Amino acid sequence: MNQALICPRFEKAMSIMSQRWTGLVIYQLLAGPKRFCTLESSMSISGRVLSERLKDLEQQGIVKREVYPETPVRIEYSLTDKGMALEPVLREIEKWSQEWLQAE
Amino acid sequence: MNQALICPRFEKAMSIMSQRWTGLVIYQLLAGPKRFCTLESSMSISGRVLSERLKDLEQQGIVKREVYPETPVRIEYSLTDKGMALEPVLREIEKWSQEWLQAE
DNA sequence: TATGTTAGTTACTTTATGTAAGTAATTATA
DNA sequence: TATAATTACTTACATAAAGTAACTAACATA
């Protein structure tokens, strides 16, 4: 019954990018490392889901988590090379949004 | 508390593209018009959600719905110019998936 | 009359996300 | 010394989104 089979790697990529918030988190990290509370307050994501997303992205090798034992502790999230490689995707979404969506 | 404000148009685009299945539906339509049952069987989306997505995408001017009163009725979904303009986004996701994801 | 096809819809269940409060470690303040 | 503050979470519970399976409408064919 399945005619046009979709490449499983592409399907995987789509399942990552089509999770709520994932794209915006990566987009924020393109600008440089960010801490949990900075990410949390720069978009309307809940702490519960942000924590979940960061763990997922870390496990997929897209995000790196680094602990600086200062006081209070500082934990920084940044993109790995694999994560950085998503920049063109985000830039194309940005372009499309500028060309095809109205400002409200 | 909000430091790096995100452009509302970009946020809108992300909210469209980060809905489950939306990207894959658009990807399938890049290859040409498709009927409901073809879309349904080419990925594991449920009919309930496919119907919902197609309505949303039509309302956003990304997808066009055309009825051919044959027997049985044929209804074709295709991309508008706005939808076609998402091709570079999908192509970049495709590229990234080929370079960074393992085939299972 | 019964069966098949396409394009859905409906009712119900499961999963994902949002909300708000709580925790642990440490420092600052009254 | 007790209280409050900060960061980075986690937990319990409520609501929203998605999956499942059965059903409908319109028409055609066996």
Side-chain angles (χ1 to χ4, degrees):
Chain A
M1 296 290 155
N2 241 29
Q3 32 281 91
L5 279 185
I6 299 174
C7 167
R9 281 192 274 192
F10 178 68
E11 241 182 306
K12 180 81 193 303
M14 284 305 309
S15 84
I16 295 168
M17 292 306 289
S18 70
Q19 285 222 86
R20 188 130 70 181
W21 301 115
T22 297
L24 278 178
V25 169
I26 294 169
Y27 180 76
Q28 297 283 32
L29 295 180
L30 283 175
K34 296 263 178 312
R35 349 180 26 165
F36 190 93
C37 63
T38 308
L39 287 169
E40 196 178 17
S41 60
S42 65
M43 44 194 161
S44 49
I45 192 173
S46 68
R48 202 191 65 73
V49 173
L50 178 56
S51 162
E52 204 174 287
R53 286 296 179 275
L54 288 169
K55 261 183 220 163
D56 284 359
L57 289 170
E58 201 191 343
Q59 224 179 338
Q60 282 165 326
I62 291 170
V63 158
K64 188 173 51 187
R65 179 183 192 268
E66 282 185 291
V67 181
Y68 299 88
E70 302 170 357
T71 184
V73 68
R74 181 163 56 102
I75 292 171
E76 282 198 341
Y77 294 93
S78 57
L79 294 176
T80 61
D81 289 345
K82 186 176 176 182
M84 287 291 195
L86 283 166
E87 179 162 10
V89 173
L90 281 304
R91 295 295 167 223
E92 290 295 343
I93 295 176
E94 207 170 32
K95 275 191 221 167
W96 181 82
S97 73
Q98 298 308 308
E99 194 166 346
W100 294 93
L101 300 180
Q102 306 299 328
E104 294 163 46
Chain B
M1 294 288 157
N2 240 30
Q3 32 280 90
L5 280 184
I6 300 173
C7 167
R9 281 192 273 193
F10 178 68
E11 244 184 303
K12 180 82 193 301
M14 285 305 308
S15 83
I16 294 168
M17 292 307 290
S18 72
Q19 283 223 87
R20 186 130 72 182
W21 301 113
T22 297
L24 278 179
V25 169
I26 294 169
Y27 180 76
Q28 296 284 33
L29 295 181
L30 282 174
K34 296 262 179 311
R35 356 189 8 173
F36 190 92
C37 64
T38 308
L39 287 169
E40 195 177 17
S41 61
S42 65
M43 45 195 162
S44 49
I45 192 173
S46 67
R48 203 191 64 74
V49 173
L50 178 56
S51 160
E52 204 174 287
R53 287 296 178 275
L54 288 170
K55 263 183 219 164
D56 284 359
L57 289 170
E58 201 192 342
Q59 224 179 339
Q60 283 167 326
I62 291 170
V63 158
K64 188 173 50 185
R65 180 184 190 268
E66 283 185 290
V67 181
Y68 299 89
E70 303 169 357
T71 186
V73 68
R74 181 164 55 99
I75 292 170
E76 282 198 342
Y77 293 93
S78 57
L79 295 176
T80 61
D81 289 348
K82 185 176 176 182
M84 286 290 194
L86 282 166
E87 179 162 10
V89 173
L90 280 304
R91 295 295 167 224
E92 288 296 342
I93 294 176
E94 207 170 32
K95 275 192 221 166
W96 181 83
S97 73
Q98 297 309 307
E99 194 167 345
W100 294 94
L101 300 180
Q102 307 297 329
E104 292 162 48

